[in-house]
Structures are given as structure tokens and as C-alpha cells.
Amino acid sequence: MLKSSMNGDGTQQRTASHLVAFTGLGVAMALVYGSLTSLVPYEEQPALVTASALLAFALYLCAVGVAGQISGRLALLIALLLGAVFRALLLTEPPFLSDDYFRYLWDGLVQTNGINPYRFAPADTALTGIDDALRSQVNHPDVPTIYPPLAQFMFFLNATLVGGWVGLKLIWLACDAGIAALLYRLVPADRRLQMWTLYWWSPLVVIEIAWSAHLDLLGVLPLVVAIWLARSGRAHSAALGVSLAAAALVKYFAAALLPNGTRGGSTPTTVAAFSAAAILLYLPYADAGARLFEGLLAYAEHWRFNDSLYGVLAWVVPSGWAPRAIVAAIVLLVVAQSVRNEWTLERTAFWLIGTILLLSPTVHPWYLVWIVPLIAIRFSRAWLFLTGSVFISYYGLETYREIGIWPEPWWTKLAIYGPFFAMLIAGTWSGSWLQAAAEGFKSRR
């Protein structure tokens, strides 16, 4: 009895020490975010932002590791409160790492003036006098908006009700809270606190949403809703179709999930709900005609930044649209494979988003926000690493702010993607038929 009691005391002490360590790591992360807003003049030294983000990520990895050793309501409460503190520290700080939010504000403003944002690029003289100060801040002013209708509706809602970048952040953080609530039910039950913390404490989510005000969680939320509906085991065909449409009308690639999303329910109902939601959201902007996709086509043709496998593909097949056509074909093959093998929606989403990220000519850090909830559901060390290493792509920010050119030295891509691909290959090899064959060959020798 004495030995049993001592073992129990030892377990409690280890649990308590892990909880203290978890809390300490969270407080340290809060101090890093706090230093960005009050102690460090990051506007003059953008490199400090990259260093701070990487430091926060290192602390986060340790915290996620420790979270696997604790459980209970107190641990959950600490995780919840500290994650909220991270976001609160950056909520009122003006976005710095990206100027995309100016386009969000502009698109919302022109809509309040009764103008379809797809019809005119910001530089068009027809828009002179609306808010020339704001218009001068919009990047790529000669290109009409690329953002789909659900995003446009939220821009309009913000311009009408709240206005400014704080209003945008509040909308995106509401989506953030919704994702966190759903993920608590979706993550593996035996590692619930750990995997939930993986999302809620993610520096990528905190920095790119709470600070930079990127819109991506507006699409991630309906994607997570769709996964929850598909996993629930009940027929939610119409709701599933609407959810997938909402995700696709923030980032179009999510439409590729529809073929797999119809499995397990009424296919006609899901497709009809998807189509109806898409049509209803497009109707207010239909008078733009062919210009609805002009900005998107310009983006697809000309944008390129922080690519990985696409760079290899473009080197092998350097002519015009050929590399992009090959990328589209590979994505379609992934979709076909998911339908043929009856993958779950979450697995399909992981493969689809992962394939697009690796083959895309443009991979801004905030694009990886889409995969963070999926890592929590289907854990991957390689992808978790990439959600932190991608901060290195901000290395050229200082030069860009000075002369308008963003340098991408070779070593940045090596640091971002080298360890990622090594871990991805090692993870694919472990437990595969190739490893079994190799081990069998060795044993015969």
C-alpha cells in the first residue's frame, strides 16, 4: 500500500511539473508576442519579426510536446486562456507583415458605394475620389479583385458595420473560435488536449490572423464544419453542400472536395445545395460578366513566390502555361484517387491542400493556415514543421519595403523545405511496403 501511494504521489508530481512547464512555455510565448507590440521597434527592423516568430514556434513545439503529458479541466482552461491572450496581444496592432488587408478594406468600401469590385481595378479612373488615400495603399492596383463572393460579402459587412482592420480581425477571430470549438470534438480523443493545443497555440494562426488579418479562416471554418458533418455518421447532404460551397467561395480550390464530399449521403442533394449556395453568392456580382475571374487569371499567370516542387517542374517544363497545366492534372488525379478509394473527407482535404501547397507557384505563409486544423486531426511532423519554417520566407521583407523587390536567396528555400521533405520522405518510408521489402531483402542476405 505504501509503495502504491508513493507511485501515485510520483505520478501526481510529474503531472504537476508538466502542467507548470506547459504554463511557463505559454507565458513565454505571450512575452514574445508582447515584445512585438510594445518592446521591439519591429517597423524599423523587420528581421526581428522573423526571429520572434521562429522563437515563438520553438516554444510552441515544446508546449505541444508537454501537452501530451497532461489532461484535465485545469490544463484545458490554461490552454484556452493563454491562446486567447496571444490573440488579444496582437488584435489592436496594425498589420505589418502583409498589406493584403488594404484590398479587403477597398473592396468593402467600393461596395458600400454601390460599385461591383470585380468591374474595376483600384487604379481605374472611374473610382477616383472614393478614398484616394486608401486606394493608394492597395497592392497590384491594376488588377481587379481576386477574392470570391463570400469573402466580398464579409468585406462589405465589415465596411457597413465596423470598418477598418480591427473589424476584419474580429470577423476572422470569430471564425477562429468556431474552428477551435469544432476541433475539440474532431481531434483524437486519446490526445485531445495536445492536438487541440496544436491548433489553438499555432504561431502561424496567431500571427497571420490575429496580427496580419488574413481572411483564410473564413474558408477554413466551413471546411472544418464539412469534415464534422461527414464524420458525424448522419445524412447532412444539404448542409455539407453549403459548407463546401462556402469554403470554395473563399478559396476556389475547395470546390475540388465536392466529388468526395458527396459520398455517404444524397449526391444530388449535396450537389444541388453546393450549386444553389454558389449561385446565390455570385448573383450580386454577376453584372461584372467576364471580369469576375480577370483578377484570378492574372494571379494564376503571373504570381510566383516561395515555391518548392513547382520550381523543379518549371525548370523541367519551362514553357508558358505547361507547368500550371501539369499541376492541375496532378490535383485532378488526387481527387480521382480519393473518390476511387473512398477516402474520408478529412483525408481528401489533407491530400488536396498538401498537393496544392507543394505544387503551387505561390506559397505565402498564410496559405498554410488551411492545413493546421488538418494536422491536428491527422498528425504529421513534416507538415507541422513547415507551419513554422515558412516564416523564413519573410526574410526579404526589409528589402521589399525599401525598394519594392522581394529577394529569395537559395538558402531560404533550403531552410524552409529541406527538413520538411526529409521528414515527409522518412514518414512515408516508415511502415511502407518499400521498407518491408527492403527489410525482407536484408534478412534473406
Side-chain angles (χ1 to χ4, degrees), residues 248-325:
L249 294 183
V250 175
K251 290 291 177 73
Y252 290 112
F253 68 78
L257 293 169
L258 181 61
N260 188 275
T262 60
R263 189 169 60 83
S266 171
T267 297
T269 301
T270 303
V271 173
F274 181 97
S275 303
I279 291 169
L280 285 173
L281 283 167
Y282 261 113
L283 276 178
Y285 306 101
D287 65 317
R291 300 206 75 181
L292 274 170
F293 302 101
E294 184 178 327
L296 179 67
L297 291 173
Y299 168 83
E301 182 178 0
H302 300 295
W303 264 249
R304 188 170 175 185
F305 174 76
N306 191 39
D307 55 337
S308 58
L309 294 183
Y310 181 85
V312 177
L313 186 60
W315 178 71
V316 175
V317 189
S319 57
W321 278 87
R324 289 169 168 82

Side-chain angles (χ1 to χ4, degrees), residues 106 109-110 113-132 135 141-142 291:
W106 175 257
L109 179 63
V110 297
N113 284 269
I115 298 170
N116 186 336
Y118 294 100
R119 291 188 61 194
F120 304 101
D124 197 301
T125 55
L127 304 180
T128 301
I130 291 181
D131 188 334
D132 292 334
R135 184 165 68 150
D142 296 320
R291 300 206 75 181

Side-chain angles (χ1 to χ4, degrees), residues 366-441:
W366 54 92
Y367 290 9
L368 273 86
V369 165
W370 281 81
I371 209 163
V372 176
L374 300 176
I375 301 170
I377 298 171
R378 300 174 57 88
F379 180 69
S380 167
R381 287 184 177 85
W383 282 103
L384 179 61
F385 171 84
L386 192 60
T387 65
S389 66
V390 74
F391 285 124
I392 298 172
S393 66
Y394 282 122
Y395 167 79
L397 177 61
E398 188 168 1
T399 302
Y400 175 76
R401 289 171 64 86
E402 290 176 357
I403 63 175
I405 298 174
W406 198 299
E408 291 186 79
W410 64 268
W411 63 264
T412 58
K413 288 189 180 181
L414 180 62
I416 293 168
Y417 292 109
F420 163 75
F421 280 114
M423 286 188 282
L424 194 65
I425 292 169
T428 302
W429 170 267
S430 178
S432 69
W433 67 269
L434 283 171
Q435 184 188 34
E439 289 175 351
F441 177 75

Side-chain angles (χ1 to χ4, degrees), residues 121-190:
D124 197 301
T125 55
L127 304 180
T128 301
I130 291 181
D131 188 334
D132 292 334
L134 175 59
R135 184 165 68 150
S136 68
Q137 299 293 323
V138 177
N139 58 28
H140 307 290
D142 296 320
V143 179
T145 188
I146 68 171
Y147 298 107
L150 181 56
Q152 294 297 340
F153 175 75
M154 300 311 294
F155 300 159
F156 171 72
L157 189 66
N158 176 61
T160 303
L161 299 180
V162 183
W165 47 263
V166 172
L168 290 171
K169 290 186 181 185
L170 291 173
I171 295 172
W172 313 149
L173 289 175
C175 296
D176 185 25
I179 293 166
L182 285 170
L183 275 181
Y184 193 73
R185 296 297 181 185
L186 288 170
V187 296
D190 59 335

Side-chain angles (χ1 to χ4, degrees), residues 58-258:
L59 294 168
Y60 157 78
L61 289 180
C62 294
V64 169
V66 173
Q69 308 299 317
I70 56 178
S71 61
R73 292 184 178 180
L74 178 58
L76 176 61
L77 180 62
I78 290 171
L80 177 65
L81 291 178
L82 282 170
V85 168
F86 302 159
R87 289 156 172 79
L89 286 169
L90 297 174
L91 174 63
T92 57
E93 192 70 11
F96 173 71
L97 292 170
S98 168
D99 56 5
D100 281 5
Y101 70 99
F102 286 121
R103 174 75 73 158
Y104 305 167
L105 296 175
W106 175 257
D107 284 357
L109 179 63
V110 297
Q111 289 182 79
T112 62
N113 284 269
I115 298 170
N116 186 336
Y118 294 100
R119 291 188 61 194
F120 304 101
D124 197 301
T125 55
L127 304 180
T128 301
I130 291 181
D131 188 334
D132 292 334
L134 175 59
R135 184 165 68 150
S136 68
Q137 299 293 323
V138 177
N139 58 28
H140 307 290
D142 296 320
V143 179
T145 188
I146 68 171
Y147 298 107
L150 181 56
Q152 294 297 340
F153 175 75
M154 300 311 294
F155 300 159
F156 171 72
L157 189 66
N158 176 61
T160 303
L161 299 180
V162 183
W165 47 263
V166 172
L168 290 171
K169 290 186 181 185
L170 291 173
I171 295 172
W172 313 149
L173 289 175
C175 296
D176 185 25
I179 293 166
L182 285 170
L183 275 181
Y184 193 73
R185 296 297 181 185
L186 288 170
V187 296
D190 59 335
R191 295 179 293 160
R192 178 159 286 157
L193 178 64
Q194 184 180 35
M195 293 298 100
W196 185 78
T197 301
L198 187 150
Y199 172 81
W200 188 238
W201 281 23
S202 169
L204 187 70
V205 174
V206 171
I207 289 173
E208 298 299 345
I209 307 303
W211 190 11
S212 294
H214 286 292
L215 61 77
D216 294 76
L217 292 188
L218 180 64
V220 176
L221 175 59
L223 172 60
V224 174
V225 169
I227 291 171
W228 176 73
L229 290 170
R231 191 192 274 193
S232 67
R234 298 185 297 273
H236 297 292
S237 301
L240 187 59
V242 171
S243 297
L244 290 175
L249 294 183
V250 175
K251 290 291 177 73
Y252 290 112
F253 68 78
L257 293 169
L258 181 61

